[in-house]
């Protein structure tokens, strides 16, 4: 049993990057699948595959590295809203990550998206994590 599955997801990706792994497998859930899609759309991961066989299913993520310097595309993954202290934001005070170079991933009433997409749709929500 896991009390914070999103923190577990981020920790597994973070640990795989530190160990220079190419692929990381994570137990699947709908919110994790949506976060994975956002990371792929923003270019932080190379590819992903959802495997629904079994009880829960898995997400296989191919991590992205710079071919010349071998540096990972993801420098930092930071969990913001935690089960003990939820962080919400409205459209008027959306977080800016690394002065616009990073991405804040939000869970809104219209789905999981970045802070820029949420601002353009004029919706607020729970700030899940920062990625840069």
């Amino acid at each position: 049993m896991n009390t914070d599955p999103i923190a577990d997801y981020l920790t597994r990706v973070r640990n795989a990057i530190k160990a220079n792994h190419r692929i990381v497998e994570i137990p699947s859930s709908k919110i994790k699948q949506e976060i994975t899609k956002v990371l792929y759309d923003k270019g932080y991961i190379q590819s992903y595959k959802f495997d629904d066989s079994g009880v829960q299913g898995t997400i296989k993520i191919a991590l992205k590295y710079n071919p010349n310097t071998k540096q990972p595309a993801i420098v930092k993954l930071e969990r913001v809203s935690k089960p003990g202290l939820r962080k919400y934001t409205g459209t008027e005070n959306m977080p800016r990550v690394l002065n616009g170079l990073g991405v804040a991933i939000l869970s809104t009433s219209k789905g999981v998206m970045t802070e820029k997409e949420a601002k353009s749709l004029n919706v607020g929500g729970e700030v899940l994590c920062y990625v840069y």
Side-chain angles (χ1 to χ4, degrees):
M1 183 168 141
N2 193 353
T3 56
D4 191 3
I6 296 171
D8 179 60
Y9 170 91
L10 297 175
T11 301
R12 286 177 189 244
V13 172
R14 207 179 300 121
N15 289 343
I17 289 170
K18 293 252 190 230
N20 289 324
H21 289 276
R22 293 282 171 204
I23 295 173
V24 60
E25 279 192 41
I26 300 166
S28 183
S29 74
K30 287 184 180 179
I31 189 93
K32 292 178 193 175
Q33 289 179 355
E34 294 302 316
I35 292 171
T36 303
K37 289 177 187 174
V38 170
L39 289 175
Y40 177 74
D41 291 341
K42 295 301 165 190
Y44 287 107
I45 59 175
Q46 192 170 351
S47 64
Y48 62 90
K49 181 181 177 189
F50 300 137
D51 185 17
D52 292 331
S53 63
V55 177
Q56 186 174 10
T58 59
I59 303 171
K60 291 184 181 179
I61 299 174
L63 299 171
K64 192 175 195 179
Y65 294 93
N66 185 332
N68 300 330
T69 62
K70 306 291 186 211
Q71 293 295 316
I74 298 173
V75 176
K76 189 165 184 178
L77 282 169
E78 183 181 341
R79 179 78 160 117
V80 178
S81 182
K82 300 175 174 127
L85 181 62
R86 301 285 184 190
K87 301 278 185 176
Y88 295 95
T89 184
T91 54
E92 62 279 347
N93 53 358
M94 285 284 175
R96 283 187 55 154
V97 181
L98 213 60
N99 209 12
L101 296 176
V103 179
I105 299 177
L106 277 74
S107 175
T108 68
S109 58
K110 300 199 176 179
V112 176
M113 61 186 72
T114 65
E115 84 281 0
K116 293 178 183 91
E117 294 166 344
K119 192 165 182 124
S120 68
L121 291 173
N122 201 24
V123 291
E126 182 181 354
V127 183
L128 297 176
C129 62
Y130 296 151
V131 184
Y132 55 90

